[in-house]
Amino acid sequence: MVKQSRSFVVAVVVFCVAAAASVQGAQNVAESTVSQAYLQPVSDWPALHPNAAGELAALPEPLPVDETLVRIGERLFHDPKLSKDGTISCASCHKSNHHFADNVRISPGVAGKEGRRTAQMLRLVGHWDKLFWDGRVSQLKELVEQPLTDPVEMASSIEHVMAYVMAKPGYHDALADYFKEDLQWEQVASAIAEYIMSLDAPMRRFDYFMQAIAAGDMAQAANYLSEEERWGMHLFRTKAGCVQCHAGPLFSDQQLHNIGLAYYGRHFEDLGHYRVSGQAEHVGAFRTPSLRYVSERPHLMHNGLFNDLNGIVRMYRHGGPRPRPKGDQVNDPLFPETSPLLVPFELSQEEENAIVSFLKTL
Ligand code: HEC
Ligand code: HEC
């Protein structure tokens, strides 16, 4: 009897191991067949998710910029004297060795004051049609004034900046030479905007892969993205639904969505685009961020509270956070609703890892 039950246990264990191995085997076959399908022209790739905002694409061409203006803007960008107390420049928070984002969650401004959102990366900034996490500004030239005058960032004023620039021949003469007219704030702002538009966006393995695909060199393409990474790209484009919002060369649809991180009524509350539009549907809505260089940017989401890509993929797998209203929130018309585009989906550990591996190629 004892002997019998032991052999039963052994049989069950053997069965389970075999079953797991065959699931693993099926997974490997799926991974390899699917990833093979991406060694073809983009038009022959497996169908995109039905709600996709677009196809994935290589980095755009750099924008045309005026080098003279860029050089003036570069100096202004790095000059702490533009701030109220002479301590903070744009580069204090947008650091060149961190993709012009910051390596701290919340960047300290003048006198160590702290804002609420995490500093955005400035690479590719000239390609956005709305700026800031909440999309509240559309023109770079108009945006420049905001960090300069924000009381917790540079706490300065246009008057302070203009008095400083006028008194400094290096700036004054260079700008007067360039614009050939009396110096205005708009010219100072356009020099800074021109500089940040000129920041390079280095090609990543994904871009070399796309280049090889476009050139029809499939063997080379296979060298740039591994089977696992191509499988991750497939999941990203299909069942995981990421392409509904993260598509195109920036991996962003440039639209506002609430993915459930408003922290409504809680410590980290941020109402997002609602503060701009006043419309209840915009509570917690933020501009879809670019996923470029995402694995090298440690503070993710508008609040910078996320840093684990696996954790982020798992959050989406569950259909995103869907907080339930409590108590008097039940009848609150502003209680945010998570985007209906986020729906739960099945994802194995291997599939989750494959998506993360793909994100690391961007
Ligand atoms: C104290 C830190 C700090 C300083 C100084 C600072 N920024 Fe920022 N920057 C931020 C933060 C935080 C955000 C995101 C703010 C938001 O979305 O509300 C941001 C966002 C931006 C964006 C929007 C990027 C995008 O993808 O939409 C641009 C452009 C920008 N900053 C340029 C500048 C310029 C130019 C200067 C100097 C004049 C500057 N910043 C100074 C912290 C800073
Ligand atoms: C409904 C649109 C939508 C879908 C679908 C979506 N995202 Fe996002 N994603 C966003 C928005 C909006 C944010 C910023 C939210 C915020 O800051 O509150 C974001 C942020 C992120 C970030 C942080 C990026 C940064 O720079 O901080 C990552 C990583 C990310 N998404 C990956 C994914 C992946 C992987 C998928 C698919 C599993 C996915 N997203 C699906 C809209 C979407």
Side-chain angles (χ1 to χ4, degrees), residues 182-295:
D182 286 347
L183 208 50
Q184 310 282 330
W185 156 250
E186 285 72 28
Q187 299 159 349
V188 176
S190 67
I192 298 179
E194 195 83 350
Y195 169 63
I196 59 180
M197 270 164 54
S198 80
L199 300 175
D200 69 332
M203 279 175 59
R204 306 302 304 254
R205 271 194 300 118
F206 170 76
D207 302 291
Y208 290 111
F209 168 79
M210 292 300 276
Q211 212 171 47
I213 294 286
D217 189 345
M218 302 308 164
Q220 187 65 277
N223 288 335
Y224 286 124
L225 291 195
S226 71
E227 277 195 359
E228 191 203 20
E229 289 158 349
R230 278 178 270 142
W231 188 35
M233 174 163 85
H234 173 70
L235 298 164
F236 186 96
R237 286 175 76 257
T238 55
K239 81 166 172 182
C242 313
V243 277
Q244 297 175 96
C245 306
H246 298 283
L250 269 60
F251 284 69
S252 168
D253 60 355
Q254 307 226 14
Q255 301 297 314
L256 303 154
H257 301 277
N258 171 21
I259 64 160
L261 302 178
Y263 293 74
Y264 194 72
R266 290 156 60 195
H267 175 62
F268 286 108
E269 178 179 280
D270 189 332
L271 302 186
H273 194 68
Y274 170 73
R275 288 260 173 262
V276 186
S277 73
Q279 292 174 20
E281 70 198 75
H282 290 142
V283 176
F286 294 91
R287 184 194 72 194
T288 309
S290 173
L291 297 183
R292 292 305 194 149
Y293 317 105
V294 69
S295 63

